[in-house]
Amino acid sequence: MFTDNRFVRSWKKDRETLKTLSPRQKLRFIFDYYRGLFFLAFAFFLLLFYIGDMIWQSHQVIDLQGFFVNDRQNLFPAKELILDFSSYYGTPHGHRIAFEDSLYVDLDSGSEYHAASQGKIVAYTAARELDFLVAPKELAFYYAESFPLYDLELLLADEPQLLTKVQNHLISTTDGTGTKKTCCLELDTSRFLQNPAYDGSDSYCLLVLSHTSHAQAMISFLRYAYYLPPEPFR
């Protein structure tokens, strides 16, 4: 009861104070005195959002998951690509495409954001949930040496038209298993780098993780990237 009365008296006093203030001062007063409550409310609604998102995702089947790293020129806009590729691929009901373009990694930086981005890449790779990764060339080579990767010539062995398009842009390097293979694809001639905003300062490369269980969807994504029509059957 004492606590309730104290809260009521405090609220009445604040209300009287607010009457004497200008609109701008009122906003400042409310922010200063009630920001703790606003933060708790924000945290609560954020928690509800995450719970809802987790429940929704648990009922969805991911057909392809890819990360675009250090996309400073918005060459790989994830939301747009999800919609466009989903339409191209014919993603069935209950399935979804999962792309992310908000990851930024600088291996020499102590930034918490860079560390968190790197941690997410490593975690998703370790959990075998990541199908492919696109990053600037130097960073892509770092990941190529760190992760087990698909040999792209083997992946595209039954796709002669697509293989011809990318053949001159495939790079051989040693992957995380210590095996030399054609596991890095420069995307210079792909649709992504045809963006007028692209200034040519970075060469982006695509890597496919060897553990992917979505090889056919990965091939479809590469067909999409190089302006080839969808495969009639999957």
Side-chain angles (χ1 to χ4, degrees):
M1 180 66 70
F2 175 76
T3 303
D4 292 344
N5 288 338
R6 186 172 62 182
F7 177 80
V8 171
R9 286 198 303 271
S10 177
W11 167 245
K12 287 181 178 179
K13 183 180 178 181
D14 290 346
R15 189 172 60 180
E16 292 301 319
T17 302
L18 284 169
K19 290 179 181 179
T20 66
L21 303 177
S22 67
R24 187 171 182 175
Q25 288 173 326
K26 287 178 180 178
L27 289 175
R28 184 66 184 176
F29 179 88
I30 291 170
F31 177 77
D32 286 342
Y33 284 86
Y34 295 100
R35 58 185 169 187
L37 291 175
F38 290 149
F39 176 77
L40 288 175
F42 173 76
F44 175 72
F45 284 115
L46 192 62
L47 178 62
L48 289 180
F49 170 79
Y50 283 143
I51 292 173
D53 187 57
M54 287 172 59
I55 293 173
W56 178 77
Q57 289 193 35
S58 69
H59 291 85
Q60 300 283 311
V61 176
I62 295 178
D63 284 345
L64 189 66
Q65 182 145 269
F67 289 166
F68 303 97
V69 186
N70 292 5
D71 181 20
R72 295 185 172 87
Q73 297 179 64
N74 198 32
L75 303 174
F76 308 94
K79 289 183 179 180
E80 294 177 23
L81 286 179
I82 288 170
L83 292 174
D84 201 30
F85 178 64
S86 293
S87 176
Y88 171 95
Y89 183 63
T91 306
H93 179 70
H95 292 232
R96 69 186 182 95
I97 303 298
F99 294 157
E100 184 168 346
D101 61 359
S102 62
L103 302 174
Y104 291 87
V105 174
D106 182 345
L107 298 175
D108 297 322
S109 170
S111 162
E112 291 182 359
Y113 191 88
H114 290 165
S117 295
Q118 176 75 335
K120 185 167 186 176
I121 293 168
V122 172
Y124 272 65
T125 301
R128 299 184 169 228
E129 294 182 5
L130 185 63
D131 296 305
F132 73 92
L133 183 69
V134 171
K137 193 171 184 177
E138 184 177 350
L139 187 59
F141 281 166
Y142 166 80
Y143 289 127
E145 294 174 356
S146 304
F147 300 146
L149 300 176
Y150 222 119
D151 188 314
L152 297 177
E153 287 188 328
L154 292 178
L155 179 68
L156 303 179
D158 296 326
E159 293 283 333
Q161 188 180 11
L162 178 55
L163 186 56
T164 298
K165 276 183 170 288
V166 304
Q167 189 75 64
N168 293 333
H169 302 278
L170 291 172
I171 301 173
S172 294
T173 188
T174 302
D175 77 344
T177 66
T179 306
K180 190 168 184 179
K181 57 183 71 169
T182 52
C183 54
C184 185
L185 171 61
E186 278 193 280
L187 296 172
D188 294 3
T189 58
S190 70
R191 67 164 66 225
F192 310 117
L193 273 62
Q194 305 306 309
N195 190 323
Y198 178 51
D199 62 9
S201 59
D202 286 315
S203 178
Y204 288 85
C205 295
L206 177 143
L207 311 171
V208 179
L209 281 303
S210 64
H211 57 243
T212 180
S213 59
H214 303 133
Q216 200 59 50
M218 191 69 242
I219 291 171
S220 291
F221 181 73
L222 288 172
R223 290 180 65 88
Y224 164 81
Y226 287 91
Y227 298 102
L228 293 176
E231 298 167 284
F233 302 100
R234 293 200 303 273

